[in-house]
Amino acid sequence: MPMADAALKDGAAAADDGRRLGFALTMPAQVLVLFIAVFPLLMQLYISLTDWSPLDGIGWWQAYELWNGFANYTDLMADTRFWSALGRTALVMLICVPAEFLLGLGLAILFMDDFVGKRVFYSIMLVPMMVVPAVAGYMFFMLFQSGGPVNDILSGVTGMNVSIAWLSDPTTALIAVMIADIWQWTPLMFLILLAGLVGVPEDQVRAATLLGASWWQRFRTIVLPKMKTIIIIALAIRVIENFKIFDTLYIMTGGGPGVATETISVYIYKVTQQDLIWGYVAAIALVILISLSILVSLAISRMNKKKEA
């Protein structure tokens, strides 16, 4: 027994030494990652509490001379243009994300079966996702011109001369932007959901089929529950990315006509580059960051509860 106790103590000591060595070896990388993540956040918080701008002629480290407390945040609450931009962003998200999800899920289900030319169509399906967003914006800018292909197709289908000024009308401009977003990012949703479908146990699906379950019953009771984690992840990714929509939209409309298609990213860009009110922009960005973090945390928490259940 004494020998066994001694061996256990030696093993515990060796494990402690290994942990200390591992900690010492990874410490520089941990400090670097912490600095990269925390420093910009602290700097953003610091700038958001000031009226600092590059035009003031002082460095950001002297921004305390223009300290204004929480004035930027109170101004933000009363900024109707900010809330309008946030509302448009939410509208785009509420339409585009469900549309991308449903289209991606439908395509993923189709691609579960074998058919002639599957590999070719699979490659074609992924092309939109690989297009640079700025290029996609220019493509759709040309497509939705008054004399562009979209109006030509509508003219051919209806038999009438269609000349809709898609990008000059506040309503149709936002519709055109959403169509472009759905076209480009449905393939990402398709790819994630296809991976989830492939991971569903085939034996359970076969057993349900032998027991006489219909396709819808198999999908509702076996496939969907197994894919809940994948679905939550896919939706969370697209919600976050949709909040950052900028390149395609800015190339197509520049946020116009007027501010009709001005989302939160375009609004932040304009306030940063045109108005140069950097302290106010820092406050906006921090509020958006905290809001999205809470949203993602709630989604992950719900996912974990589902797993435990």
Side-chain angles (χ1 to χ4, degrees), residues 79-90 259 262-264:
D79 187 349
T80 55
R81 187 176 167 189
F82 164 77
W83 290 108
S84 296
L86 193 61
R88 283 185 214 97
T89 307
V259 293
E262 188 177 78
T263 59
I264 195 63

Side-chain angles (χ1 to χ4, degrees), residues 89-109 125 128-129 140 174-194 227 230-231 233-245 248:
T89 307
L91 176 63
V92 171
M93 180 193 70
L94 290 173
I95 293 176
C96 290
V97 174
E100 290 162 9
F101 171 75
L102 293 174
L103 287 171
L105 182 61
L107 289 168
I109 292 170
M125 274 297 306
M129 188 175 66
F140 279 89
L174 197 59
I175 291 172
V177 168
M178 289 190 285
I179 290 172
D181 188 79
I182 291 169
W183 174 83
Q184 181 157 38
W185 296 114
T186 293
L188 176 62
M189 196 71 81
F190 157 72
L191 201 60
I192 296 173
L193 295 175
L194 182 61
M227 288 183 62
I230 294 292
I231 290 172
I233 291 172
L235 291 175
I237 289 172
R238 281 307 302 142
V239 165
I240 293 170
E241 288 298 317
N242 217 263
F243 255 87
K244 298 188 293 183
I245 182 174
T248 305

Side-chain angles (χ1 to χ4, degrees), residues 15 31-32 35 41 66 136 156 165 172 199-200 208 210 219 222 242 273 280:
V31 171
L32 179 61
F35 177 78
L41 185 62
L66 302 171
T172 55
V200 175
L210 292 173
F219 183 76
I222 298 174
N242 217 263
Q273 300 297 326
Y280 186 56

Side-chain angles (χ1 to χ4, degrees), residues 42-62:
L42 293 177
M43 180 179 170
Q44 182 179 355
L45 177 61
Y46 166 58
I47 296 298
S48 74
L49 300 173
T50 71
D51 284 325
W52 180 77
S53 167
L55 298 179
D56 294 324
I58 60 175
W60 63 266
W61 56 88
Q62 295 175 296

Side-chain angles (χ1 to χ4, degrees), residues 9 73 75 88 107 115 126 151 164 175 185 248 258 304 309:
K9 288 180 180 179
Y73 294 94
D75 291 344
R88 283 185 214 97
L107 289 168
F115 54 86
L126 300 182
N151 281 341
I164 301 172
I175 291 172
W185 296 114
T248 305
N304 290 334

Side-chain angles (χ1 to χ4, degrees), residues 29-308:
Q30 291 180 23
V31 171
L32 179 61
V33 171
L34 186 65
F35 177 78
I36 291 172
V38 174
F39 176 73
L41 185 62
L42 293 177
M43 180 179 170
Q44 182 179 355
L45 177 61
Y46 166 58
I47 296 298
S48 74
L49 300 173
T50 71
D51 284 325
W52 180 77
S53 167
L55 298 179
D56 294 324
I58 60 175
W60 63 266
W61 56 88
Q62 295 175 296
Y64 63 86
E65 297 177 9
L66 302 171
W67 192 265
N68 66 6
F70 292 95
N72 286 327
Y73 294 94
T74 55
D75 291 344
L76 179 62
M77 294 300 106
D79 187 349
T80 55
R81 187 176 167 189
F82 164 77
W83 290 108
S84 296
L86 193 61
R88 283 185 214 97
T89 307
L91 176 63
V92 171
M93 180 193 70
L94 290 173
I95 293 176
C96 290
V97 174
E100 290 162 9
F101 171 75
L102 293 174
L103 287 171
L105 182 61
L107 289 168
I109 292 170
L110 288 175
F111 273 77
M112 285 295 293
D113 296 326
D114 290 326
F115 54 86
V116 178
K118 180 178 177 179
R119 292 185 179 180
V120 175
F121 285 110
Y122 184 81
S123 300
I124 293 172
M125 274 297 306
L126 300 182
V127 168
M129 188 175 66
M130 300 176 189
V131 176
V132 177
V135 175
Y138 184 72
M139 286 167 49
F140 279 89
F141 173 77
M142 298 302 295
L143 287 171
F144 283 103
Q145 291 297 306
S146 297
V150 172
N151 281 341
D152 289 342
I153 292 170
L154 291 175
S155 297
V157 171
T158 60
M160 298 182 293
N161 182 30
V162 177
S163 57
I164 301 172
W166 289 91
L167 303 179
S168 301
D169 182 85
T171 303
T172 55
L174 197 59
I175 291 172
V177 168
M178 289 190 285
I179 290 172
D181 188 79
I182 291 169
W183 174 83
Q184 181 157 38
W185 296 114
T186 293
L188 176 62
M189 196 71 81
F190 157 72
L191 201 60
I192 296 173
L193 295 175
L194 182 61
L197 283 173
V198 170
V200 175
E202 292 185 10
D203 54 343
Q204 295 182 17
V205 177
R206 289 198 192 98
T209 304
L210 292 173
L211 291 172
S214 65
W215 177 89
W216 173 244
Q217 288 174 325
R218 296 195 302 271
F219 183 76
R220 183 172 55 86
T221 58
I222 298 174
V223 177
L224 275 183
K226 295 292 183 182
M227 288 183 62
K228 276 184 179 177
T229 301
I230 294 292
I231 290 172
I232 291 172
I233 291 172
L235 291 175
I237 289 172
R238 281 307 302 142
V239 165
I240 293 170
E241 288 298 317
N242 217 263
F243 255 87
K244 298 188 293 183
I245 182 174
F246 178 80
D247 311 61
T248 305
L249 186 150
Y250 195 77
I251 295 293
M252 289 178 68
T253 66
V259 293
T261 58
E262 188 177 78
T263 59
I264 195 63
S265 295
V266 175
Y267 174 61
I268 289 174
Y269 172 79
K270 288 181 177 179
V271 175
T272 305
Q273 300 297 326
Q274 297 175 10
D275 302 335
L276 294 173
I277 312 174
W278 286 25
Y280 186 56
V281 169
I284 296 174
L286 198 59
V287 168
I288 296 297
L289 173 64
I290 292 171
S291 301
L292 287 177
S293 298
I294 292 171
L295 187 64
V296 172
S297 297
L298 290 173
I300 292 173
S301 175
R302 186 173 180 182
M303 183 174 66
N304 290 334
K305 285 180 181 178
K306 294 284 185 183
K307 278 186 176 182
E308 291 173 4

